[in-house]
Amino acid sequence: MALLRCDFFSDVLGVGTSMSIILPQPTSAQIGLTGTATDAEPPVLYLLHGMSDDATTWVRRTSIERYATELGLAVVMPQVGRSFYVDEHHGSRYGEFVQDELPALVQRFVRVSDRREDTFVAGLSMGGYGAFRWALDRPERFAAAASLSGVLDLAGLRSARPDLEPVFGPGPVAGTRHDLVARLADVDTATVPRLWAVCGTEDELLPGNERFVAAARAADVPLTWSAGPGRHDWAYWDARIQDVLAWLPLAHRKDTTS
């Protein structure tokens, strides 16, 4: 694999920002690792960081590069600060940046597939919210979306976190476009990407995840859900990202197993 740090200017944000990119590379002489790649444009996973993290943290805290190598999967990890991947009430248009500008820049900078069936999004904590928010806002872009210990009941969290006012504004988010639980009632189940969510049973975000799961089931939104031992930490996420990668509907994996 090739690991790239990409520093670039965002017209939407009006400032320079960064992303980390993992790209497939075929190798035969690398000890302990066999790279997988084809002549086709590789599938791509947009992998979103949490509130205290940045564009480098997934690579620094997990073995995502090694896991993606075996699948011939490109991984794009953008940097968004504490924005929750939305256009901030007082701040920058991170929602527009991630959903519209970022994919266009990725296509300009590197060679990855832009087909829906080859495009996926996942994230942890704040990034879990961002992944599902992006999938619901742009269902035509993704084949699948995954949340690891995600902030899926934002309405409950916002009421307890006054520091989120610059992002979401002074009022409650319940029932607004920011509220993923409320939005499930209006989801078009024919077009929504496949959803997968997981949360540790020792994680304080578990009740919010369970409320999201209940709402998804009530709305007949297809969702794969699991909860098991684990905390809000990198040991848990390093294990669960492997589950996510095994779950992704990679077209070339289907071809090789059919």
Side-chain angles (χ1 to χ4, degrees):
M1 300 293 278
L3 174 61
L4 286 65
R5 175 183 170 91
C6 182
D7 298 312
F8 61 97
F9 184 82
S10 165
D11 280 329
V12 170
L13 301 177
V15 297
T17 187
S18 301
M19 60 179 156
S20 297
I21 305 174
I22 297 170
L23 293 175
Q25 176 188 2
T27 58
S28 59
Q30 190 171 13
I31 297 174
L33 196 66
T34 301
T36 300
T38 68
D39 291 335
E41 295 174 336
V44 58
L45 170 66
Y46 289 89
L47 189 55
L48 310 183
H49 68 72
M51 185 181 290
S52 64
D53 303 329
D54 59 29
T56 70
T57 315
W58 271 106
V59 174
R60 291 164 54 209
R61 307 265 170 84
T62 75
S63 290
I64 183 62
E65 183 178 3
R66 180 164 56 87
Y67 306 147
T69 295
E70 301 172 0
L71 300 173
L73 178 69
V75 184
V76 174
M77 295 158 279
Q79 186 158 295
V80 303
R82 296 165 62 89
S83 69
F84 271 81
Y85 301 86
V86 304
D87 291 343
E88 296 173 306
H89 185 75
H90 296 295
S92 299
R93 304 196 312 273
Y94 279 102
E96 182 180 349
F97 163 69
V98 170
Q99 295 191 10
D100 298 323
E101 187 181 28
L102 177 68
L105 289 173
V106 169
Q107 289 294 321
R108 178 180 293 273
F109 295 157
V110 297
R111 181 174 170 267
V112 297
S113 177
D114 63 354
R115 300 189 304 168
R116 181 181 192 259
E117 58 265 35
D118 291 334
T119 307
F120 317 102
V121 61
L124 68 90
S125 195
M126 180 186 80
Y129 172 88
F132 277 7
R133 171 70 182 261
W134 196 357
L136 294 181
D137 284 352
R138 300 285 191 274
E140 74 285 353
R141 183 178 296 279
F142 299 105
S147 166
L148 294 77
S149 313
V151 182
L152 300 185
D153 180 20
L154 184 64
L157 180 70
R158 170 66 186 93
S159 62
R161 293 289 300 269
D163 60 309
L164 295 181
E165 181 174 328
V167 178
F168 298 107
V173 300
T176 70
R177 188 168 182 79
H178 297 309
D179 185 352
L180 297 184
V181 173
R183 288 186 60 183
L184 288 172
D186 299 320
V187 164
D188 182 353
T189 57
T191 62
V192 68
R194 293 174 57 182
L195 301 180
W196 185 95
V198 65
C199 190
T201 51
E202 289 73 52
D203 194 319
E204 64 180 9
L205 295 180
L206 179 63
N209 275 254
E210 292 174 332
R211 284 189 287 272
F212 180 89
V213 171
R217 290 173 175 167
D220 292 324
V221 174
L223 171 69
T224 300
W225 160 250
S226 64
R231 301 183 181 277
H232 206 74
D233 61 28
W234 283 100
Y236 183 75
W237 299 321
D238 183 61
R240 298 291 77 77
I241 192 60
Q242 298 176 67
D243 297 336
V244 171
L245 296 179
W247 168 80
L248 290 181
L250 296 172
H252 66 270
R253 179 160 55 195
K254 293 179 183 178
D255 292 341
T256 59
T257 57
S258 60

